Amino acid sequence: MELTPMMQQYLATKEQNPGSILFFRLGDFYEMFFDDARIVSKELGLTLTSRSGNKDKAPMCGVPYHAAETYINKLVGRGYKVAIAEQIGDPKAKGLTKREIIKIITPGTVLSESALKDAQNNYIALVYEKNEDIVLAGADISTGECFYGIYTGGNRLQMLLDELYRLAMPELLVVGKPSFMDALKEFTDLRLPNCSYTLREEISRAVDDRIIQHFDAATRPDSQEAKEAVATLLDYLHETVMTDLTHLNKLTYLDASENLVIDTYTLRNLEITRNLRDGGKKDTLLDVLDFTETAMGSRLLKKWLEYPLLNVLPINRRLDAVEELTQDFSLRGGLRADCKEIHDFERLLTRIEVGTANARDLIALKISLMCLPGIQQHMANVKSQVLTECKAGIQSFDALVDLLQRSIVEEPGISLREGGIIKSGYNAELDEYRRIAHDSKAMLQEIEEREKEATGIKSLKIGYNKVFGYYIEVRHSGTDLVPDRYIRKQTLANAERYITEELKEFETKILGAQEKIVQIEYNLFTEVRETIKSQLTEIQATAHEIAIVDVLTSLAEAASTYNYVRPRMTNDGVIDIKDGRHPLVERILTRDLFVPNDTRLNHNDCEIMLITGPNMAGKSTYMRQVALLTLMAQIGSFIPAREAAISPVDRIFTRIGASDDLVSGQSTFMVEMNEVAQILKYATKDSLVILDEIGRGTSTFDGMSIARAVIEHIESKVHAKTLFATHYHELTDLEDDKVKNFCVAVKERGTQVAFLRRIVAGSADKSYGIHVARLAGLPKAVTKRAEDILAALESEQGAEAAAAVAQVAKPAPKAAESDAMMGSLFASSLSDTLLALDVMTMTPLEAMNELYKLQEQAKREAGQA
């Protein structure tokens, strides 16, 4: 197929960007060709056409340039990269218009306001392995954050994966071929399915230059491998964004030694920032505590929840601030009202920095800056250290506000190329051209009247057409009065048309006025934008302080609204909570009152709480509650309790609930054992461990043995503060100086059972599983049969129990279809088949096949096949 010069230009541009979908500007459209066209038409539902008429040979599709952002956002949201090729030369010039890639939009570098979620960061991360160390570099270019972490030792890969889960980034760069690539891919496929991969063959070739370009000496890494990782990430950002990124000017080191470590399992199990249902914010701890008024504050609160503090001093500083805000309603209300008017500073500044901000962004910045004096005034008399530091860090920008007030109209349009964004009175030249454009008819009438008077031609009139422009028309009867300064342009049947120097000058002004207005307005806008950029660092710092104030005010509002109390932070290794409540569950309960419970864990007389009791009685809720209250205290939040003294923990480990990782082929029991292995390997005496029903995924004796061994290991080797819930009542004999038995109080009245949801000292002697089955709606025949079997099992011991089950009388057959079904359920051939199955080793597909066979067998035995 012979290619036109334009198509040759397209293919050459595409060859330079093979991993991106190329949006190629042709007039008022972005066009895509060949494979790109096929992909885009399928993903966006666009019609596939062709310039040659044969869409099989040269498929093509396109989108209007003014609506391209919507289409690009959809593609990027699905993991694609989009390269934008714009017309650089004059499209009216002869020959082929020059086109160049102006930016590449990727999932981790998207800056479009409509594509970003206000309360969520949009991170991009890079992973780099060197000398058995793993380096993580990351950034959110929409907010200006940049950070790195170094992971060493035997747990380095797990620490990396935990960090990636917290970041939940849509794009991950991998340098070279790390030894853990398979495990990394498996983890992201399972936990971060929307994350796209970008591979980099080698590190940056200008490491030191990149680091010096962006960061001052105080924040540059000491480690060479960290410099290499950060510089390589910056290279990629410059290659894609293709604009100034000086707002990435502060580099943060992820120092795990300063924070309570929360691994992936715990973050998921406790539903701290993402729920298990759909990964959203609803019904999470973040959802409960989020009374923030700014997008910056909401993002920072999420970060505090995922990185709780470890040391008592900074925790108490935050608690002091929350206490001051809780007690001072006027201060809290004033700050919340001011913060409510503040737009997303961080992302506004980024759009200004990279040159994508429009006039509406500048108005949003002006409104935000105008709120700062009010915040300063409200904080004039604050006493707590953190609030005092925030007050000192919040600057006012009166000169900028004045500039924006004078220059930008209050309700500008979105486009910068259509005018109407600069106020009248700001620039004299602009005002003059506007007067010309606005008063053109009056000025034209003025010229016409003046010419009539000067020439004496009463029928003279001024007109306009696209061919000749403006002209003076005189009927033939008046041509003898036409002065010499008139230049004839056209002869008509009954008139002559002329031009004059004045009319030509007027025409030039009129026709060029609108274009000139737009250009002047754009130039003035960029001048204002550059003035703002000169103070970008100072505004960024103020934005950060505003976010802290917003989070502290949010925590104070939550404390006031929900009746939370300030925990007393200690260093004695004790967690002592009086009448603690679950922060999520108590919010969800509408008809019942939440039953509070006490907790006392220490290294002297109650290191392990061994909790027994029935299902649905509240054991799991209670254990989650202790973990969540400890975490809340360590972010500097008040907690739902009557009173509490909490010593910070270095890690919170949880093993709660039954969840199959079917994608990775792991059964419930394997998942459970993996999580327990992690806990036993990395927990310390300063950790808080939550274990729920260990061993239930295997046989009774196997499970009981594992559960006992785990408790013994924690008591003798780990010494972590532990809450251990179990159905194995036999484990209650482990009670000693450090292991204490607790149970959920139950009230029985005849056959009626009430779960009091109160944790009390002692052990339970029943599980009440059949009662729970009855509440769940199992048929009476089934629960009755279960009671008979249970009675037989409880009357025998050890090996005699199996024989006792066989002696239990089967229900007498009744002439009803339900009895026929029960009879077939316990028929000998079907029972033998069921007993022969090794369920715990079967894959989901094998299990479905066996279930189908069993159903067919049951039909045959019931005479239905």
Side-chain angles (χ1 to χ4, degrees), residues 489-776:
K489 292 294 292 184
Q490 188 181 21
T491 299
L492 302 178
N494 60 351
E496 297 284 342
R497 287 178 177 175
Y498 305 87
I499 60 170
T500 66
E501 288 298 325
E502 182 185 13
L503 201 58
K504 282 171 63 178
E505 196 174 307
F506 174 81
E507 179 181 315
T508 302
K509 278 188 175 182
I510 289 296
L511 296 182
Q514 193 56 46
E515 185 178 337
K516 194 70 176 176
I517 286 169
V518 170
Q519 188 58 49
I520 292 173
E521 287 205 48
Y522 181 76
N523 292 339
L524 293 172
F525 174 84
T526 56
E527 287 176 11
V528 173
R529 191 172 64 193
E530 289 302 311
T531 302
I532 296 169
K533 282 175 68 173
S534 68
Q535 299 186 54
L536 184 136
T537 303
E538 293 83 356
I539 304 175
Q540 273 184 324
T542 292
H544 178 65
E545 301 300 333
I546 294 294
I548 295 173
V549 170
D550 192 21
V551 173
L552 293 169
T553 307
S554 174
L555 295 177
E557 187 68 19
S560 176
T561 303
Y562 302 144
N563 193 29
Y564 291 173
V565 301
R566 176 174 179 165
R568 182 167 55 86
M569 304 307 296
T570 70
N571 280 316
D572 57 7
V574 175
I575 295 177
D576 190 359
I577 302 170
K578 299 287 193 301
D579 288 340
R581 312 186 306 274
H582 193 295
L584 278 68
V585 176
E586 76 165 348
R587 301 268 60 80
I588 296 170
L589 288 179
T590 55
R591 291 179 298 177
D592 301 326
L593 287 174
F594 186 89
V595 178
N597 274 295
D598 296 346
T599 304
R600 181 169 175 80
L601 286 164
N602 56 61
H603 294 299
N604 298 320
D605 56 10
C606 190
E607 202 165 65
I608 299 175
M609 290 179 65
L610 186 60
I611 307 169
T612 51
N615 283 316
M616 289 181 60
K619 299 193 304 297
S620 293
T621 298
Y622 170 72
M623 293 193 300
R624 284 183 171 95
Q625 169 184 310
V626 175
L628 288 172
L629 266 55
T630 302
L631 183 147
M632 287 173 66
Q634 290 188 228
I635 72 164
S637 170
F638 283 25
I639 65 173
R642 179 164 52 86
E643 61 178 278
I646 295 176
S647 184
V649 298
D650 62 356
R651 295 191 64 154
I652 296 177
F653 292 95
T654 62
R655 168 51 226 170
I656 299 173
S659 58
D660 287 328
D661 278 353
L662 296 181
V663 176
S664 61
Q666 295 188 12
S667 68
T668 302
F669 185 61
M670 178 58 78
V671 172
E672 178 184 314
M673 291 299 100
N674 282 338
E675 294 181 13
V676 173
Q678 285 290 110
I679 293 170
L680 297 184
K681 190 173 183 180
Y682 297 110
T684 72
K685 69 178 183 63
D686 295 319
S687 302
L688 176 62
V689 175
I690 308 296
L691 294 169
D692 189 15
E693 305 296 351
I694 296 300
R696 63 182 163 187
T698 184
S699 71
T700 300
F701 293 135
D702 268 0
M704 191 188 307
S705 302
I706 292 170
R708 180 178 288 269
V710 168
I711 295 173
E712 291 174 351
H713 182 84
I714 293 173
E715 182 184 14
S716 62
K717 303 292 185 183
V718 180
H719 302 292
K721 293 182 282 290
T722 304
L723 295 116
F724 193 107
T726 184
H727 274 99
Y728 300 132
H729 304 128
E730 295 84 354
L731 298 180
T732 56
D733 65 359
L734 286 168
E735 185 170 43
D736 58 20
D737 291 343
K738 293 191 176 183
V739 179
K740 299 298 180 185
N741 285 327
F742 290 85
C743 64
V744 183
V746 176
K747 185 176 182 180
E748 294 186 66
R749 180 176 296 173
T751 59
Q752 298 298 311
V753 178
F755 300 150
L756 303 182
R757 307 192 186 281
R758 189 75 175 171
I759 304 297
V760 297
S763 58
D765 56 0
K766 293 182 182 180
S767 291
Y768 300 96
I770 296 173
H771 173 71
V772 174
R774 192 179 295 116
L775 290 176

Side-chain angles (χ1 to χ4, degrees), residues 458-469:
K458 302 303 180 185
S459 62
L460 179 151
K461 66 179 180 181
I462 295 177
Y464 172 83
N465 67 32
K466 290 184 179 179
V467 177
F468 295 107

